[in-house]
Amino acid sequence: MKEELKATVIEKAVLDSVYDQLVFTVEERKTTQQIQDDLRPTLTIADDVIVEYMLQKGYMLVQDDDGSPIWQMWRMK
């Protein structure tokens, strides 16, 4: 059985509109905090909701140049 996301319907809609695009994409890397900051003007979403959403959607954490974890994403141009 697939586990339900912690995200509310509204939080999921906002995250989907920004991070669930698969055509004409370029690589982008952001921390959870940067994602949270980008979304703040629209909706404040808790960091654990963002992390769970990103993992559920198959995004990978990779090492940034300084060795810290960062999300590897593919965003629309």
Side-chain angles (χ1 to χ4, degrees):
M1 183 162 90
K2 194 172 188 178
E3 195 171 317
E4 290 295 316
L5 287 173
K6 289 182 186 178
T8 66
V9 171
I10 293 169
E11 291 169 334
K12 186 174 181 318
V14 169
L15 288 162
D16 280 346
S17 70
V18 177
Y19 297 103
D20 200 19
Q21 307 291 330
L22 298 176
V23 293
F24 304 111
T25 58
V26 294
E27 182 184 23
E28 182 175 67
R29 293 179 177 203
K30 289 190 176 187
T31 65
T32 301
Q33 182 66 54
Q34 289 169 322
I35 293 170
Q36 203 170 34
D37 291 345
D38 287 347
L39 297 173
R40 192 172 317 278
T42 303
L43 182 67
T44 300
I45 301 178
D47 56 352
D48 63 325
V49 173
I50 293 171
V51 169
E52 182 184 35
Y53 174 88
M54 299 299 276
L55 291 171
Q56 183 83 17
K57 291 293 185 170
Y59 288 98
M60 302 284 294
L61 278 169
V62 296
Q63 283 189 344
D64 201 10
D65 295 336
D66 66 0
S68 61
I70 195 164
W71 294 104
Q72 181 181 33
M73 302 175 289
W74 299 94
R75 298 272 313 261
M76 285 181 59
K77 282 184 172 183

